[in-house]
Amino acid sequence: VLTHQDSSSSAASGITLVDRGLISVSWYDGTGSVELNEHVMRSVQRKLALGKGATLHDVRIIDESVEPSEEIVLCPYIPDGSEFLLKFSIKQEQLREKKSFREF
């Protein structure tokens, strides 16, 4: 489950959780943790259709199958069929307008 913290919320806490859907991730034997993390981040960015200037921040993978829920590190040794909650924020980078001035 992809969950996004919306910083433009008017709620008292300033945070609204928005359900962004599901992604399924598969990998081959021999895939390293770095490759798996990159694959998951690219999958999330594709799912959300993030354009230029938008990046994921504060990405956390939460295992809700244990009580209390805990954050996990993504690695290729996670059991097949595991499900996790992915929490994140989206940062929109402002494009700076370049102006050129001519000296007289």
Side-chain angles (χ1 to χ4, degrees):
V1 175
L2 305 177
T3 303
H4 161 228
Q5 294 181 357
D6 184 0
S7 60
S8 64
S9 170
S10 61
S13 67
I15 296 176
T16 300
L17 297 181
V18 179
D19 185 351
R20 300 290 183 171
L22 300 171
I23 62 168
S24 241
V25 178
S26 300
W27 59 91
Y28 296 102
D29 286 337
T31 301
S33 294
V34 171
E35 293 169 308
L36 183 55
N37 277 294
E38 289 172 355
H39 176 63
V40 168
M41 292 304 115
R42 281 193 308 269
S43 295
V44 170
Q45 290 172 340
R46 270 194 309 274
K47 170 79 174 182
L48 299 174
L50 294 181
K52 290 185 178 181
T55 56
L56 297 176
H57 285 273
D58 192 27
V59 177
R60 294 176 290 143
I61 301 169
I62 310 296
D63 184 356
E64 296 183 307
S65 69
V66 296
E67 194 60 44
S69 299
E70 57 187 27
E71 188 171 347
I72 66 153
V73 174
L74 203 54
C75 73
Y77 303 104
I78 293 173
D80 188 33
S82 297
E83 293 185 13
F84 303 101
L85 175 65
L86 183 70
K87 290 187 175 185
F88 57 90
S89 298
I90 298 174
K91 181 177 181 182
Q92 295 285 341
E93 299 194 17
Q94 308 229 345
L95 298 176
R96 294 183 185 170
E97 207 175 295
K98 290 186 178 181
K99 295 182 180 179
S100 59
F101 296 96
R102 200 174 359 173
E103 290 184 31
F104 292 95

